[in-house]
Structures are given as C-alpha cells and as structure tokens.
Amino acid sequence: MTEPRVAADWYESAGVRGGPRRMLQEDREAGLKVFPEHLVPHLHHEGLAGLGADTRQALLTQHFYQYMLFTSQLETKVVNRGAAMVAHGETDVDLGPGARLDAFKIYSDEAYHALFSLDVVQQVEKTTAVPVLPYDFAPRMARLERTGHAFLPDHGSLAHILQVVAFETVVTRMLARIPRDETVFRVVREVVGDHVRDEVHHHAYFTRYFKELWASLSPATRVKVACAMPHFVDDCLRPDLDPVRSALRTAGVSAELAEEVVRDCYREEVLAAGVRDAGRHTLGLCESVGAFDIPEAREQLHLLGLTD
Ligand SMILES: [Fe+2]
Ligand SMILES: [Fe+2]
C-alpha cells in the first residue's frame, strides 16, 4: 500500500504556514476587472447588451463573490468534514499514520482557503461598494447528500469521503489560468494563485487515496461507488443558477428576461459539456481502476451525459 501524502515540505511551503495576507490596493487595480468576463456566460447574452457599464461591473462582481463564497462554504462544510474523518481514522480504510497526519494539513489548508476567500470578498465589497448578495450553499449540499443516500445508503462516511475525492480531483482549468490573466485584479490573481498552489498537492493526495480505497472495497461496494462517482462529479461541477437569477434581478433585469438569459446561457448540453471537461481527471481516475467496466456505472455516466 502506498500512503497518500502532501508536500514533504508542507510546514515551509503551505500558504497557511507562511504566505502573506493578500491586500487590495486600489492604485494597483486601476483599469483591471475583478474577475475574467469570459468566465461569466450570462454577461454575453444579447438581451443584456443594453446594460450600462456600472451594471455590467456589478454583475461581474456578484459572480466573483458567488465563486469565492461557494469556495469558503465548500472547504469548510464538505472537504474539511471528510478530511477530519480521514485524520481521525473514521473511514472504511485507514491508510496509515502519515496519511492521517497529512489529512490535518489539508484541513488546515482548506480552513485558510475559506478565510482568504471571505477576506478578499470583504475587501472587494469595501472598495467597489457592490453589496454582497447572500449566498445559499444548502442546494449544493442537498444534491450531494441526495446522491449519497441514493447510491450509498448504508455507507454514510464513504459517501462523505467520495464527495471530497470528487471536489479535490476535478480540475477547473479556467481557474488555473486566472493567476496569469493580466486583465484581472492583482489581489484576485494572487489569492487564486495561492489556492491553486496548495490544491496541486491535495489533488495528488486524493488521487492516491481513491486508488487505495478502491483496492480495499468489496465487489458489491465497488458497484455502488462506481455508480455514485459520476453523480458526485456532476454535483460538484454543475453551476447553481439561483445566484445568477438573483444577481440579474438585483441589477434591475426583469424576471422574464432573467429567466430567458438563464435558459439560453445554461442549456443542458452546455452544462454537461462543462462537467465532462472539468471532471475528466476524476472520471479518468475512476476509469483507471476499472470502475466504468461495471455496466451499472456506465449507465449512470450515460444518464448524466458524461460519456463521449
Ligand atoms: Fe482549497
Ligand atoms: Fe483542497
């Protein structure tokens, strides 16, 4: 068995151990955007072409807030729930003392990611005076729990661990490009860069973790896990559309137009293509252990539109 591990020099290299607090300084951000516009599909809808520059700016800022608040919720409510279980040995497979200790390093990283995500939201709100809309993580949590209940009703802790594997191994390639995007606020590029640097190690840890976990499972549990994984990938990557609706309505867009924009910009085939793309590493990981040789699991992939 190979123990999953994070960086050997974590005490020196992790953001939480020695990284600086990132501060927004207005003079450094002149002429820059808070978030890349191309990552906000609804900004490009023709029905919104007539919006003024300030309103477009507010919509972009709301999208940035939602992404950061989603991150801080996800880290603390989903990833750290699982990381703590791994550290305490409260899982179906205990991968050794080093792996358990490293799970607490990940826990510390994620708590820090939640902290700096909220910190940068508050700094941007203060500078731009675009008020943060409330962000509700409950629908995402409900989707994740529903998948757990549907496929792993008798394996609560396993479901929680698999949710972490899914979130920690999907690759949001577009996000990884933000640190190099010179049109974006420097403070945002720095914060996203700090985050991506830590996550590279988490990705490696949970890839190894999943392989060892899979090897330890009974054939019957493998079927359940293989069926659940495509759903967990979909649950974590599919965007929430209610925050888009509220951002549009708050910007003064009519309910009717807001619905039309959401319908046009977030069509099912576009959403499924996004999940396929960002989820390909996780789905590839499942494929590599033979999970999708199981016909029931292939059926679930197909149902979700995740087959090529
Ligand atoms: Fe993180
Ligand atoms: Fe992580």
Side-chain angles (χ1 to χ4, degrees):
M1 180 191 291
T2 318
E3 269 192 292
R5 301 304 303 263
V6 294
D9 64 348
W10 180 86
Y11 287 96
E12 290 76 41
S13 66
V16 65
R17 295 284 304 164
R21 182 183 177 196
R22 303 300 189 175
M23 300 301 294
L24 192 162
Q25 293 160 310
E26 275 187 73
D27 53 336
R28 287 202 312 156
E29 315 294 12
L32 302 179
K33 306 251 181 227
V34 67
F35 204 63
E37 281 187 335
H38 68 95
L39 296 185
V40 187
H42 50 276
L43 268 187
H44 309 286
H45 191 277
E46 57 182 15
L48 303 182
L51 293 181
D54 285 355
T55 311
R56 297 185 73 77
Q57 192 55 37
L59 281 174
L60 184 65
T61 309
Q62 289 300 350
H63 201 82
F64 163 76
Y65 291 155
Q66 285 158 17
Y67 168 69
M68 287 292 165
L69 295 176
F70 161 75
T71 301
S72 67
Q73 295 262 353
L74 165 75
E75 303 287 42
T76 45
K77 293 184 176 166
V78 180
V79 181
N80 273 357
R81 174 174 62 183
M85 289 165 63
V86 174
H88 293 307
E90 296 168 349
T91 51
D92 297 80
V93 55
D94 184 1
L95 298 175
R100 285 173 61 173
L101 199 61
D102 280 7
F104 268 144
K105 294 175 187 165
I106 292 172
Y107 188 98
S108 309
D109 290 342
E110 304 296 27
Y112 184 56
H113 300 163
L115 165 66
F116 67 48
S117 299
L118 184 59
D119 187 17
V120 76
V121 163
Q122 292 180 352
Q123 291 185 45
V124 169
E125 182 181 38
K126 209 166 149 197
T127 304
T128 62
V130 176
V132 182
L133 290 175
Y135 179 75
D136 185 7
F137 191 68
R140 173 84 52 168
M141 208 60 185
R143 287 215 300 271
L144 289 163
E145 298 310 295
R146 215 162 30 238
T147 295
H149 288 307
F151 294 99
L152 296 151
D154 306 319
H155 303 269
S157 68
L158 184 55
H160 291 158
I161 297 298
L162 295 172
Q163 290 164 1
V164 179
V165 170
F167 273 115
E168 295 289 284
T169 58
V170 296
V171 173
T172 43
R173 195 172 24 171
M174 288 181 299
L175 206 63
R177 288 200 196 119
I178 292 179
R180 293 192 302 275
D181 185 337
E182 291 179 356
T183 67
V184 174
F185 272 21
R186 288 193 162 80
V187 70
V188 172
R189 278 147 57 189
E190 288 165 355
V191 161
V192 173
D194 291 345
H195 199 163
V196 168
R197 256 190 305 283
D198 285 339
E199 289 302 333
V200 168
H201 298 290
H202 300 183
H203 183 109
Y205 180 99
F206 282 103
T207 297
R208 168 61 49 201
Y209 189 96
F210 181 75
K211 287 181 177 170
E212 298 295 340
L213 172 69
W214 180 265
S216 77
L217 296 175
S218 69
T221 311
R222 282 184 179 179
V223 174
K224 295 177 189 172
V225 168
C227 290
M229 279 310 284
H231 288 270
F232 283 135
V233 169
D234 191 75
D235 293 340
C236 68
L237 289 170
R238 185 172 286 260
D240 284 321
L241 301 180
D242 276 346
V244 177
R245 289 186 183 93
S246 358
L248 289 167
R249 297 289 286 124
T250 306
V253 174
S254 72
E256 207 183 351
L257 179 56
E259 250 349 282
E260 188 187 321
V261 169
V262 168
R263 210 175 36 242
D264 292 348
C265 299
Y266 300 91
R267 293 190 317 275
E268 179 52 37
E269 64 269 27
V270 175
L271 296 182
V275 173
R276 260 199 318 272
D277 181 47
R280 70 197 184 288
H281 276 264
T282 314
L283 298 172
L285 171 63
C286 296
E287 181 102 57
S288 77
V289 295
F292 298 145
D293 297 340
I294 297 169
E296 294 95 317
R298 286 213 68 79
E299 197 183 319
Q300 296 305 321
L301 266 182
H302 187 69
L303 280 175
L304 292 167
L306 300 181
T307 41
D308 291 327

